[in-house]
Amino acid sequence: MTILVTGGAGFIGSNFVLDWFKSNDEPVVNLDVLTYAGNLRNLASLQGDPRHIFVQGDILDRALLDKLLAEHRPRAIVHFAAESHVDRSIHGPAAFLRTNIDGTFSLLEAARAYWGALEGADKAGFRFHHVSTDEVYGSLKPSDPPFTESNPYEPNSPYSASKAASDHLVRAWHHTYGLPVTTSNCSNNYGPYHFPEKLIPLIIANALAGKPLPIYGDGQQIRDWLYVSDHCSAIRAILAKGQLGEVYNVGGWNEMPNLQIVHTLCDLLDELSPSASGKSYREQITYVTDRPGHDRRYAIDARKIERDLDWRPAETFETGIRKTVQWYLANQEWVRDVQSGAYREWLDKNYGAREAVQ
Ligand code: NAD
Ligand code: DAU
């Protein structure tokens, strides 16, 4: 038994792979092209572990996909690989359409060919899980109820439009070809190995470096926040018990305005790593021009996955955000290497041989 994970060197994918081996020994083939967001250093604790087979490659490389599927015969595919940063999608949407739409199409076609040739229990048990986002549903007004799985799709950024397109492809491959798929639409994750271009790790890194803490617009945009290992446990629950063709919304019931998140981070840093100047990190907060097309509010109704799959988040926002700040304080070298690009040199030095295995 083996599973194939795409994008397993990114933020959520690497947390998923690390968490996977905490609860079972089933091997993981981890296919990741290592864009700027892919960092094998996240998986350094698995170096030499035969359960983890890392392959550097692109989900658009159909020949590679066919080869990996034929060789490892996975019982499931968990598809994380994507371009994931909204601001980057505004500056350069092409990569988002390529990976998120064309890449998902390529993976679906490879999965369809592989699954089509399976027989008996192997065929019946095969699963394709697509990891998606709450952003496909668009923006909520203050009094709107949280997103359910039947909300209409109203994506507003190039990123969310490309993820919405990928969700539609996954749905269509199930309805037309019978491919055994599940999809999850999750809210904002946070936790270890979060790339410091995203709000929470950026604020922690900038605060410690004495730099401005940039708040887009008025800082009153609302997101729902989920500790990353709770997203991973939700995906494991869907893989184990999810109904084919179903969509599951995943969230932490933690709606919060961005400014409140930044205040919380500053207060935790004031407590755990006070500034040498004696001033609160809150004094570094700086309002900057808003993100174009910035969605005002996301909120997730997670009752379906709670009811049908008996899933619950293990962390509250208070416990998760404290763990996160503590992790970043203990791993400042990881942040420095990401910011300087040094992790790329480190990769070549330490993983060159491993990358060549396939
Ligand atoms: P990330 O940007 O940190 O990681 C993406 C990974 O995919 C990287 O390791 C990258 O190298 C890899 N990748 C990119 N293009 C590839 C390609 N063509 N072939 C193979 N690998 C490729 O992203 P993340 O935050 O870990 O998000 C993972 C998934 O979860 C994405 O699909 C994203 O849309 C979804 N998601 C993210 C969040 C969040 O808060 N971060 C919330 C909900 C859903
Ligand atoms: O909702 C799920 C989505 O969450 C995922 O699908 C995306 O992959 C993930 O990147 C995340 O998207 P966001 O745009 O919500 O995340 P980001 O961390 O970029 O921004 C969070 C909020 O903070 C958002 O309202 C924009 C704001 N922000 C962000 C940055 C980087 C700031 O105010 N200042 C900043 O410097």
Side-chain angles (χ1 to χ4, degrees), residues 86 112 134 147 168 177 188 302 304 332-333 352:
V86 174
R112 181 163 76 93
D134 59 357
F147 301 127
H168 292 322
Y177 304 114
N188 284 58
K304 178 176 172 181
Q332 292 183 53
E333 198 192 329

Side-chain angles (χ1 to χ4, degrees), residues 80-147:
F80 293 96
E83 289 293 337
S84 70
H85 189 36
V86 174
D87 293 318
R88 283 183 192 257
S89 83
I90 295 167
H91 290 287
F96 287 72
L97 273 60
R98 180 188 183 276
T99 289
N100 300 0
I101 305 178
D102 295 343
T104 301
F105 166 66
S106 162
L107 192 64
L108 283 167
E109 280 294 80
R112 181 163 76 93
Y114 167 69
W115 167 76
L118 292 176
E119 288 175 354
D122 289 346
K123 186 163 192 166
F126 183 74
R127 296 284 181 277
F128 182 108
H129 182 69
H130 177 56
V131 181
S132 193
T133 170
D134 59 357
E135 302 205 7
V136 297
Y137 298 122
S139 190
L140 291 168
K141 295 194 175 56
S143 57
D144 286 342
F147 301 127

Side-chain angles (χ1 to χ4, degrees), residues 66-74 358:
D66 291 345
K67 177 173 167 287
L68 290 176
L69 291 169
E71 204 171 295
H72 297 284
R73 304 189 62 73
Q358 293 296 320

Side-chain angles (χ1 to χ4, degrees), residues 6-14 31-39 57-60 79-85 95 98-100 103 130-134 159 163 184-190 193-195 197-198 225-226 231 344:
T6 71
F11 162 47
I12 304 173
S14 60
L31 174 65
D32 194 303
V33 79
L34 299 180
T35 65
Y36 78 95
N39 185 349
D58 196 323
I59 54 170
L60 277 116
H79 178 33
F80 293 96
E83 289 293 337
S84 70
H85 189 36
R98 180 188 183 276
T99 289
N100 300 0
H130 177 56
V131 181
S132 193
T133 170
D134 59 357
Y159 163 69
K163 290 297 289 187
S184 50
N185 293 88
C186 188
S187 59
N188 284 58
N189 287 211
Y190 66 99
Y193 305 116
H194 204 180
F195 199 87
E197 65 183 355
K198 308 278 172 71
W225 294 91
L226 183 70
H231 187 187
R344 302 219 152 268

Side-chain angles (χ1 to χ4, degrees), residues 8-10 14 30 32-45 47 52 54-57 195 333-334 337-338 340-356:
S14 60
N30 181 353
D32 194 303
V33 79
L34 299 180
T35 65
Y36 78 95
N39 185 349
L40 276 183
R41 198 161 197 167
N42 303 359
L43 299 162
S45 61
Q47 200 166 9
H52 180 231
F54 181 76
V55 180
Q56 183 172 8
F195 199 87
E333 198 192 329
W334 180 91
D337 282 357
V338 169
S340 71
Y343 72 107
R344 302 219 152 268
E345 291 157 31
W346 187 89
L347 281 183
D348 291 343
K349 219 187 305 171
N350 291 276
Y351 289 95
R354 286 169 64 81
E355 288 166 25

